[in-house]
Amino acid sequence: MKKLLTGNEAVAVGAYEAGIHYAAAYPGTPSTEILENIAPYKEEIIAEWAPNEKVALESALGASIAGARSLAAMKHVGLNVAADPFFTAGYTGVNGGFVLVVADDPGLHSSQNEQDNRYYARSAKVAMVEPSNSQEAKDMVKAAIKISEEFDTLVLFRMTTRICHSKSLVEVGEREEVSMKKYEKNLQKYYVAPAVAKQLHVNLEERLKKLEEFSNNTDLNYIEWNDKKIGIVSSGVAYQYAKEVFGKNASYLKLGFTYPLPMEKIKKFAEEVDTLYVVEELEPYLEDQIKAAGIDCIGKDKIPNIWELNSEIVATALLEEEKSIIDYDKSKVVNRPPTLCAGCPHRGFFYGLSKRKDVMITGDIGCYTLGGADPLGAMDTTICMGASISVGHGAKKVFDKYNKDMRVVSVIGDSTFFHTGINSLLDVVYNNSNTITCILDNRVTGMTGHQENPGTGYTLQGDVTKMANIPDIVKALGIEHVKTVNPLKLEDLNKAFDWAFELDEPSVIITRYPCALKKLSEFDKKEFEVPSGTFGVDEDKCIGCKMCVNTGCPAIQFVKEDKKAKIDPVQCVGCELCEQVCPVNAISKVGE
Amino acid sequence: MAETKSILLVGVGGQGTILASKILSTGLVEAGYDVKMSEIHGMAQRGGSVSTQVRYGDEVHSPVIGVGEADILVSFETMEALRWLDYLKPEGKAVVNDYQIGSAPILMGKADYPEGINEIIEEKVNANIIDAAKIAVELGNPKVMNIVLVGALVKAMNLTDIDWEDVIRNTVKKKFVDINIEALNKGMSAISLGGETSAI
């Protein structure tokens, strides 16, 4: 029976069918649902959220060396975090098959860059596969495990947003139950000291030759002959766009195994067609290698290398046909940026922080990145996970050295703190910068859709576990000034800011309150009183000062005609923040 | 040979476009079509502009469409219809929910909700403006607005042979089945097909 699955769901089914024993990941759009969908196979697969991608990759590598079939998954920028073990895993190879899934985000739907991770396979010299729909996503996990074990290589499994989050039909099969391979201590393979690594590099080059031969022969790279005037080399979702545009009016060399490239096959294909197009999303990864092999082709001089493609962009680039589109004045449309949800505990925090003067606010990656948007505007930088604390540290050091009267507040989430914030905070202590680090602990990994993390008390597969204690961690790192507050109680929050801003040593403020959308756990229910009811504006008292509107709550609207604020009872969750900022007590609880 | 058709559902994060597209794609699969569906997760879901695409036919290649390629645009919110109107083929149809949600600049009083959107859309394309919110409230739950729109959509695309009631029974929680089926039927009858329509 065929099922309609996303690429991520299909990878999970593929992992099950391929006999994977161990899987680890750090959540990140568009890759998150891979591990979420592996987790229910609790009998067959150990599935874990790791604190970051480096840990996920290393754990999966450890499981592979021990003899298990392993998988790690992460978003594209996650591989930057995991790059260190990734490159060396290229040298060691594997014992049990090892598939590393990376999900790129062309179009930056939910990311800080649109790097093309295909280059990573080439740099680390590991095999790479690229599915172009959900069926392939499932089948290629199985193929990748076989390649991994046959050639003793990690296999990079490269997806993109439209493969991860598009649904297409998948034939679901049975699990191939394999036992773990035998573990044998092997210093010449896994003890990568310089002398060993020297030899491993030689072996790696040998392995690549074999992989190239495989690439030229495997069915993962196949030709569809149609009209030979145009030949198209393509991979991943770009292949689907090419098919949509050219149909049977072109021949295709569809690449599923994209490192090393099947250059012999490409040459033969190129010789048979009049014009060769390379249709690929983002960078000219295929095109550059094809041209370097002396094969003439057309690619990025016509197809853009920025943002994601679709069939219309490919058609416009290559067909040069005029198409009629609906012509109208789009300038009437008002922007609709994402916002912090009604009742979000981050809102209180950023509202309080936004009132402080001469402050540089270094932010991080998560829902709270939205604290930098209008009207709160309480953020100066967002770079990558964990960077808030270290970017803040460097800035504060030079502000102080060169007598610039600036305070630095570093804002990071709970999951992000565990991810890479801890190392940065150690630097703050060690090299002594007087920054204020704020850890917004909303009791869950929020932006990616509510995943457990080391602080929530639960594992991915639902087991109760130790709950990491952030104040204790912070103190153990050497921070002596630590306060925990409820960010929706503005008076307490402001007192904490006053306290921290007066200190001449580094401090940490932890705001501890669950995400407004979180399904509360048993632990949360014991700890927190959930807001209830809805609030309303007394029109007679409202002076139209917009203080409540400037909290940026999507439940509050400023009605221009009346010059009054209005609260939407459907959206209001009763967090009480607006009541606290109203200078004339016009806001109060109206519904239970 | 069924040519590939493209449906574009747009709205605001939290409006239920994902459930609507799930029902839609499930029904299309059961009817024997090849189907691809694409949606965006992550940051945009936090109250931002969202879109879901459903494509069906004998063999569907691309999971997403570009400008000028949709056969039908179903907008769960009025201004979003205008944002995405150029994705519609000039001969395509629009089903627009007469329901306005202010975006952040509007809520803050920095911009006005644009006026006359329905008129622009009606002038440019074959459009059906329906008040799905009113219908849903009359049925007793404003949340079924999305299924009212699914009803209008399947009627406009001439997909009424599919057993949508069965799909709903298998998709939504038991206690919400009846109201969703009612919403579907109300949506089907809310759309006027006029003389020229039948299937697209």
Side-chain angles (χ1 to χ4, degrees):
Chain A
M1 151 98 192
K2 284 194 171 184
K3 281 187 173 173
L4 197 58
L5 300 180
T6 63
N8 285 347
E9 290 165 342
V11 167
V13 175
Y16 172 77
E17 291 180 13
I20 298 276
H21 304 104
Y22 179 89
Y26 181 79
T29 313
S31 72
T32 310
E33 301 84 1
I34 294 170
L35 259 278
E36 289 183 320
N37 283 285
I38 290 178
Y41 301 117
K42 212 175 165 178
E43 287 295 309
E44 298 87 357
I45 306 177
I46 301 166
E48 298 175 342
W49 289 132
N52 68 34
E53 295 87 352
K54 178 176 183 286
V55 175
L57 195 155
E58 288 160 348
S59 309
L61 179 61
S64 161
I65 293 171
R69 288 188 167 177
S70 306
L71 179 147
M74 55 200 60
K75 70 181 292 174
H76 61 333
V77 290
L79 186 51
N80 302 337
V81 178
D84 196 355
F86 170 66
F87 277 79
T88 303
Y91 277 37
T92 63
V94 303
N95 184 18
F98 182 10
V99 180
L100 171 62
V101 185
V102 288
D104 290 10
D105 189 17
L108 306 103
H109 296 283
S110 205
S111 303
Q112 67 269 40
N113 76 30
E114 54 180 347
Q115 67 189 47
D116 187 332
N117 275 10
R118 292 179 298 171
Y119 291 102
Y120 260 121
R122 212 180 160 196
S123 297
K125 305 192 171 189
V126 298
M128 173 164 61
V129 296
E130 283 185 77
S132 73
N133 60 30
S134 297
Q135 180 71 54
E136 287 186 0
K138 193 204 80 165
D139 294 342
M140 281 190 187
V141 175
K142 296 158 84 174
I145 281 291
K146 291 224 159 64
I147 294 165
S148 176
E149 291 183 351
E150 185 183 339
F151 294 93
D152 187 11
T153 178
L154 179 160
V155 178
L156 189 69
F157 191 100
R158 194 255 190 173
M159 304 175 82
T160 55
T161 299
R162 296 298 183 176
I163 299 297
C164 294
H165 286 165
S166 293
K167 289 191 175 185
S168 57
L169 290 167
V170 178
E171 190 73 59
V172 174
E174 300 293 317
R175 178 172 168 91
E176 181 201 356
E177 201 59 71
V178 287
S179 40
M180 261 177 69
K181 286 194 173 179
K182 191 167 177 250
Y183 171 71
E184 280 174 65
K185 182 170 173 173
N186 185 347
L187 294 181
Q188 298 311 313
K189 188 163 158 56
Y190 301 119
Y191 178 70
V192 190
V196 173
K198 247 178 151 163
Q199 183 54 40
L200 287 176
H201 193 179
V202 176
N203 302 354
L204 175 58
E205 298 301 326
E206 288 300 312
R207 179 194 300 154
L208 277 183
K209 281 182 200 149
K210 288 181 196 157
L211 282 168
E212 187 171 351
E213 195 188 331
F214 171 80
S215 184
N216 278 307
N217 293 311
T218 175
D219 292 342
L220 293 169
N221 297 326
Y222 61 88
I223 294 172
E224 291 170 55
W225 289 118
N226 296 304
D227 192 307
K228 292 189 176 177
K229 280 197 198 69
I230 295 171
I232 293 173
V233 179
S234 191
S235 68
V237 75
Y239 162 75
Q240 304 291 356
Y241 302 146
K243 285 278 286 205
E244 189 75 36
V245 173
F246 289 93
K248 298 225 181 283
N249 299 322
S251 294
Y252 302 88
L253 171 51
K254 196 275 187 189
L255 302 178
F257 187 88
T258 47
Y259 192 76
L261 285 179
M263 211 46 86
E264 288 306 313
K265 204 176 250 183
I266 295 171
K267 262 184 196 149
K268 281 183 193 148
F269 180 73
E271 281 163 9
E272 299 267 332
V273 299
D274 297 346
T275 306
L276 186 69
Y277 289 132
V278 178
V279 179
E280 58 188 325
E281 209 165 41
L282 297 179
E283 302 301 326
Y285 166 83
L286 300 172
E287 183 185 346
D288 285 352
Q289 292 180 74
I290 291 170
K291 282 185 170 160
I295 302 165
D296 205 21
C297 61
I298 297 168
K300 290 295 162 185
D301 43 350
K302 296 211 172 204
I303 299 168
N305 71 335
I306 54 166
W307 305 347
E308 66 175 347
L309 300 180
N310 60 39
S311 46
E312 186 263 331
I313 293 169
V314 173
T316 306
L318 300 181
L319 293 181
E320 291 167 1
E321 282 174 3
E322 278 293 314
K323 203 174 76 180
S324 64
I325 53 165
I326 299 168
D327 181 39
Y328 67 104
D329 180 13
K330 216 175 182 174
S331 66
K332 283 186 87 129
V333 181
V334 182
N335 236 354
R336 193 183 296 277
T339 55
L340 294 172
C341 305
C344 175
H346 300 333
R347 176 170 291 104
F349 171 81
F350 284 112
Y351 184 82
L353 184 56
S354 68
K355 305 295 170 202
R356 303 275 155 172
K357 298 275 181 272
D358 299 324
V359 180
M360 177 186 185
I361 303 167
T362 54
D364 223 288
I365 306 285
C367 286
Y368 48 87
T369 309
L370 295 170
D374 256 359
L376 296 162
M379 201 167 285
D380 295 32
T381 65
T382 295
I383 309 292
C384 67
M385 292 201 124
S388 55
I389 299 174
S390 20
V391 166
H393 167 75
K396 183 62 178 161
K397 288 294 281 193
V398 294
F399 282 147
D400 284 356
K401 168 97 177 163
Y402 299 101
N403 301 318
K404 311 271 187 223
D405 192 15
M406 285 284 278
R407 290 306 310 243
V408 174
V409 177
S410 302
V411 180
I412 192 166
D414 48 344
S415 184
T416 326
F417 178 67
F418 299 129
H419 180 278
T420 32
I422 293 174
N423 333 32
S424 301
L425 192 58
L426 189 60
D427 191 36
V428 166
V429 174
Y430 175 53
N431 286 307
N432 191 28
S433 61
N434 180 18
T435 61
I436 300 164
T437 298
C438 298
I439 303 171
L440 310 193
D441 179 7
N442 63 350
R443 312 304 303 137
V444 77
T445 308
M447 180 65 95
T448 42
H450 292 179
Q451 288 73 35
E452 305 295 346
N453 68 46
T456 62
Y458 295 92
T459 67
L460 168 60
Q461 291 186 309
D463 297 323
V464 173
T465 187
K466 286 239 183 208
M467 195 186 278
N469 184 314
I470 295 178
D472 284 356
I473 293 172
V474 165
K475 284 177 202 154
L477 292 173
I479 296 283
E480 290 178 11
H481 310 283
V482 184
K483 255 194 190 358
T484 301
V485 292
N486 176 346
L488 289 170
K489 304 282 179 208
L490 275 184
E491 204 182 321
D492 295 351
L493 181 77
N494 283 326
K495 271 188 201 155
F497 281 141
D498 289 341
W499 163 83
F501 275 79
E502 286 303 312
L503 291 167
D504 51 16
E505 287 184 331
S507 60
V508 168
I509 296 172
I510 301 156
T511 68
R512 188 174 164 104
Y513 200 79
C515 167
L517 302 181
K518 186 183 179 188
K519 187 172 178 287
L520 297 186
S521 70
E522 290 307 313
F523 295 124
D524 296 328
K525 284 178 194 160
K526 277 181 206 149
E527 182 178 345
F528 301 100
E529 208 176 308
V530 192
S532 65
T534 56
F535 283 69
V537 180
D538 182 337
E539 285 196 14
D540 296 333
K541 286 188 187 165
C542 178
I543 55 171
C545 70
K546 287 192 175 182
M547 293 283 274
C548 58
V549 175
N550 287 332
T551 64
C553 177
I556 306 176
Q557 178 171 12
F558 186 72
V559 184
K560 271 185 170 177
E561 300 79 58
D562 317 338
K563 291 200 168 58
K564 305 272 180 199
K566 200 173 90 181
I567 296 174
D568 175 4
V570 177
Q571 287 203 65
C572 177
V573 299
C575 76
E576 303 178 5
L577 185 72
C578 55
E579 183 191 30
Q580 297 168 63
V581 304
C582 180
V584 292
N585 295 322
I587 299 177
S588 59
K589 202 167 189 173
V590 291
E592 285 310 311
Chain B
M1 181 81 190
E3 199 191 324
T4 300
K5 299 283 185 193
S6 305
I7 299 167
L8 178 61
L9 305 172
V10 302
V12 177
Q15 272 197 296
T17 49
I18 287 179
L19 177 65
S21 60
K22 187 179 177 187
I23 289 172
L24 200 59
S25 50
T26 306
L28 290 165
V29 168
E30 283 176 11
Y33 289 108
D34 185 24
V35 176
K36 284 192 178 171
M37 190 256 257
S38 194
E39 62 201 18
I40 288 297
H41 303 215
M43 192 165 231
Q45 281 177 295
R46 304 277 175 257
S49 168
V50 294
S51 68
T52 301
Q53 313 193 6
V54 179
R55 309 192 70 224
Y56 63 100
D58 281 345
E59 192 187 359
V60 181
H61 300 295
S62 172
V64 286
I65 54 158
V67 171
E69 296 190 333
D71 293 284
I72 189 164
L73 168 70
V74 182
S75 185
F76 286 46
E77 197 277 345
T78 307
M79 184 169 74
E80 292 308 309
L82 202 59
R83 190 186 312 280
W84 293 92
L85 189 64
D86 52 353
Y87 275 70
L88 199 53
K89 291 176 181 169
E91 70 277 18
K93 281 185 184 182
V95 173
V96 181
N97 189 11
D98 196 6
Y99 184 76
Q100 295 79 38
I101 301 175
S103 65
I106 296 166
L107 296 179
M108 286 183 261
K110 290 183 178 173
D112 293 315
Y113 196 97
E115 282 178 15
I117 296 176
N118 292 347
E119 290 71 24
I120 297 173
I121 293 169
E122 281 174 324
E123 184 202 314
K124 297 285 177 189
V125 295
N126 177 358
N128 266 278
I129 316 281
I130 62 174
D131 193 343
K134 190 173 159 217
I135 295 170
V137 169
E138 280 168 9
L139 289 172
N141 186 344
K143 285 194 172 163
V144 298
M145 188 161 74
N146 56 350
I147 307 304
V148 174
L149 291 162
V150 171
L153 164 65
V154 299
K155 185 71 182 274
M157 291 300 282
N158 203 22
L159 292 166
T160 45
D161 287 348
I162 296 169
D163 191 348
W164 295 106
E165 297 192 8
D166 190 57
V167 176
I168 286 174
R169 261 180 231 114
N170 294 324
T171 313
V172 306
K173 279 187 188 150
K174 211 174 170 185
K175 62 177 175 177
F176 297 120
V177 166
D178 289 345
I179 189 167
N180 276 294
I181 288 175
E182 274 187 78
L184 181 88
N185 290 328
K186 290 275 184 193
M188 285 190 195
S189 42
I191 193 162
S192 62
L193 289 175
E196 88 280 21
T197 47
S198 69
I200 289 171

